[in-house]
Amino acid sequence: MLTSGTMTEFDRGAGSLCLDFVATVRDWPGRRVELLATPAELTGWFEEQGLPAAAGGLTEPDLLAARDLRGAVNETTRGLIASRPPTPEDIRLINAAGRRPTPVFLLGPGGRTRTPVPEPDAGAALSVIARDAINLLTGPDLGRVRACDSDGCATLFLDRSPSGRRRWCSMRRCGGRAAAANYRRRRAARSQP
């Protein structure tokens, strides 16, 4: 069951822009939640990540292109961490997005703000995401990409912990649930005669 995005808060804890983008689809037991159900939600995600959206707003084709790129990054990353080769179509999608010019920013008055050069399009923001994916997939950090160990969640994240043994996509969500369940189990075991 696919549910569309009624959530207004996006997670930014995957450790990489492209993995945060992949996390805009959430899989929970029995349902899949789409956080980018409308062009306005994609605009919100771009803004939250500091990426400019098109001055005239994003369109349905922009949203479809974003979802295609998200799917290609997801499938390619999952395949590579499982030692499966990516599909030529996914490679083509990532490379096509990465070829686009990226947004250009200028330093604003006072030196503490940035201003995008007028008229960026969705392709420019998607290019930033695709280039981040290319860097992640071809760099040394690919071996630290993990899928969340929580039941019902398979969110990808970059494990930047010193030990390299992080298990959950987020302590706030999955890690907290696992800790609470462990606490309840220990407490129940202590209270049994």
Side-chain angles (χ1 to χ4, degrees), residues 69 72-73 76 89-99 130-131 133-134 137:
L69 176 61
V73 171
T76 300
E89 177 65 15
D90 286 341
I91 295 296
R92 187 196 65 73
L93 275 166
I94 294 168
N95 285 339
R99 273 190 197 96
R131 290 177 188 193
I134 291 165
L137 298 173

Side-chain angles (χ1 to χ4, degrees), residues 11-12 14-24 45-46 48-51 73 125-133 136 158 160:
D11 282 341
R12 291 176 60 167
S16 172
L17 177 66
C18 66
L19 297 180
D20 283 339
F21 189 55
V22 168
T24 59
W45 191 85
F46 282 173
E48 207 170 286
Q49 301 297 326
L51 297 170
V73 171
L126 295 177
S127 182
V128 173
I129 296 165
R131 290 177 188 193
D132 183 63
L136 178 66
L158 180 56
R160 294 186 186 273

